[in-house]
Amino acid sequence: MKKVCSVLFGLCVIWILLVASIRLWALNSNFYIRQYDQMNLAQQLNVSNQDLNRSIETLLDYLDNRTDSISVTITQNDVKKEAFNQREINHMIDVKALYQRVNRAMWISVVLVGIIFIYMGREKQGRLTLTRSIVEASFAFVIFVAFIGVWIAIDFTDFWIRFHHVFFDNDLWLLTPGVDFMIDILPETIFNRLVISITSSVVVALVLLNAICIYILRKNRYCEG
């Protein structure tokens, strides 16, 4: 039972770090606005910076349950219009449902980590077992990230397409540049940088966390038989 709990503890810690990193970057409007400025995207799309920034902020607010709709009016090519069409609205319903499931799983993981720590952390040996489980789970996760990293470096488009096939059971995510404003303000380049930023944050957090764990294990000369 304790072995199962320790494995679950390590996996939950990794999941919490991953989702926290996703929240840090994917829901951070400043990240997108910086990308827009670097790409000079507003000028390319013939919209104002204000309309462009308001569009992405609306999408992020919708994902995080701060608004009930992605309805936003913009002026493009001197024509006033709704930024997002019905296909984009339907796709965002799917995206929000996925994100909310991921977020709920994170909070469940937080609860499990607390329960397991209370259960096993009362004794020094139990705390050391949990510490070791973090190192072991991190090692497995790094191998997984390395695989994803190589895949992204070789062909990000293939990675991104397969990602959508795994998590969505329809083709609403297939948007057309120049027709669907959502893909215009979220081109592949931005998603590429987003994935790299999320991955980098998780790796840095894991390096720091594992440095602490390894220090504790070495200090206690702990070795699981």
Side-chain angles (χ1 to χ4, degrees):
M1 180 63 178
K2 287 187 176 181
K3 180 62 177 177
V4 172
C5 285
S6 66
V7 171
L8 183 60
F9 182 87
L11 293 175
C12 284
V13 168
I14 300 299
W15 180 251
I16 292 168
L17 287 177
L18 177 60
V19 178
S21 184
I22 290 173
R23 287 186 59 87
L24 174 66
W25 292 103
L27 295 184
N28 183 355
S29 61
N30 290 327
F31 167 80
Y32 300 93
I33 291 171
R34 284 195 300 271
Q35 304 304 317
Y36 294 160
D37 290 341
Q38 292 173 14
M39 299 167 64
N40 200 19
L41 191 60
Q43 185 174 349
Q44 293 180 39
L45 298 178
N46 290 314
V47 298
S48 68
N49 284 311
Q50 182 180 9
D51 280 353
L52 179 60
N53 297 345
R54 194 156 46 88
S55 296
I56 189 62
E57 288 167 355
T58 299
L59 290 180
L60 300 183
D61 286 346
Y62 177 74
L63 283 179
D64 209 24
N65 266 337
R66 294 191 293 268
T67 184
D68 297 327
S69 167
I70 64 170
S71 177
V72 56
T73 303
I74 63 169
T75 300
Q76 185 176 33
N77 297 319
D78 297 322
V79 177
K80 207 166 192 176
K81 59 179 232 181
E82 278 292 319
F84 307 114
N85 59 40
Q86 191 59 50
R87 182 181 182 86
E88 294 166 301
I89 292 171
N90 292 340
H91 176 53
M92 281 305 296
I93 291 173
D94 292 340
V95 174
K96 181 175 182 176
L98 173 62
Y99 171 73
Q100 293 299 329
R101 287 196 296 270
V102 167
N103 207 40
R104 282 194 295 271
M106 183 196 71
W107 287 113
I108 291 172
S109 296
V110 170
V111 172
L112 287 174
V113 164
I115 292 173
I116 294 172
F117 186 80
I118 292 172
Y119 170 61
M120 294 184 62
R122 290 171 294 182
E123 300 177 355
K124 181 179 180 180
Q125 190 70 14
R127 292 193 297 273
L128 292 174
T129 298
L130 294 180
T131 302
R132 186 180 183 86
S133 74
I134 293 175
V135 176
E136 292 171 345
S138 298
F139 179 74
F141 182 73
V142 167
I143 293 176
F144 172 74
V145 169
F147 169 75
I148 296 296
V150 171
W151 188 2
I152 289 173
I154 294 174
D155 192 344
F156 179 80
T157 300
D158 181 65
F159 162 78
W160 200 238
I161 290 173
R162 292 182 184 276
F163 169 87
H164 282 82
H165 281 310
V166 169
F167 291 104
F168 300 106
D169 59 2
N170 55 54
D171 65 354
L172 293 173
W173 57 275
L174 290 171
L175 302 175
T176 305
V179 175
D180 303 306
F181 192 63
M182 188 177 296
I183 197 65
D184 288 334
I185 68 173
L186 291 171
E188 186 177 292
T189 300
I190 288 182
F191 279 119
N192 195 337
R193 294 173 183 174
L194 179 62
V195 170
I196 291 172
S197 296
I198 292 170
T199 304
S200 299
S201 293
V202 174
V203 170
V204 169
L206 284 179
V207 168
L208 294 175
L209 179 60
N210 277 270
I212 295 171
C213 291
I214 291 171
Y215 170 77
I216 293 172
L217 293 172
R218 286 183 175 177
K219 183 178 179 182
N220 289 275
R221 298 176 183 177
Y222 175 69
C223 181
E224 199 173 57

